Amino acid sequence: MRFSENLKLIRHQKQMTQTAIADKLHVSRKTISSWENERSYPDIMMLVKISTVYGITLDKLMKEDLGMLKQYEAQAVTSQRSLRIKLVSAYLNIGLLFLSYLNHFLNWQVAEWLALALLINLIVLATTLQPKAKDWLKVGIIVVMLLILNVAIIWPIQFKGVAPAGTNVAGYELGYYTGMASWTILSSLSGCCAALVHPKVSLKN
């Protein structure tokens, strides 16, 4: 028996409506209908919730539906690929952030290129993250540390104090503070994303 047919049969045996099941699983009735008509499959975590609500084992719920097993295999491959992208982006993010700070100390004059590379990689990394409530304390601590580092150390190092000849002093200072504020925001976001990557997640099957 296919998963969709089995799911519908079990629901009927339990004398429950699609709406009642949807309320227990915190999904829409259309989602339940989609599963029972084989238009989509629930993910692994939702499958566990379904088995709990119906009070049956996963083995009985799935009933050797090969189509569903292939679907989950495809999901596993996609998940592994996303994890690799996240880890590569996270390490690259940390490296770019480190080089950006070195640039401030060593005056390499490549701040614009580093900032652009960091921003692009940051966007890629942000799309792979799924923050959890317990992560925000760690994020807050890192943001405070970066703010202190930037404002107390980096800003004074970069500030030349005297505007170049022929340059409006007010305009020079405005440009400086605008640029450094932008850099502070970018580095803080970078630190946030780095903090949200969970290093204990393994790529091994």
Side-chain angles (χ1 to χ4, degrees), residues 139-174:
V139 166
I141 293 174
I142 289 181
V143 168
V144 170
M145 292 174 60
L146 287 174
L147 286 175
I148 294 174
L149 174 62
N150 289 347
V151 178
I153 299 177
I154 303 299
W155 285 34
I157 288 176
Q158 289 295 109
F159 187 57
K160 304 302 180 183
V162 179
T167 303
N168 179 273
V169 175
Y172 170 77
E173 292 186 352
L174 177 62

Side-chain angles (χ1 to χ4, degrees), residues 6-18:
N6 194 33
L7 194 63
K8 186 183 298 184
L9 176 62
I10 295 171
R11 180 173 60 78
H12 287 161
Q13 290 174 346
K14 298 291 184 179
Q15 297 182 340
M16 300 179 72
T17 64
Q18 289 184 343

Side-chain angles (χ1 to χ4, degrees), residues 40-56:
S40 66
Y41 288 116
D43 59 28
I44 295 296
M45 296 305 296
M46 183 56 68
L47 198 61
V48 174
K49 291 181 181 179
I50 293 172
S51 69
T52 300
V53 169
Y54 284 145
I56 61 175

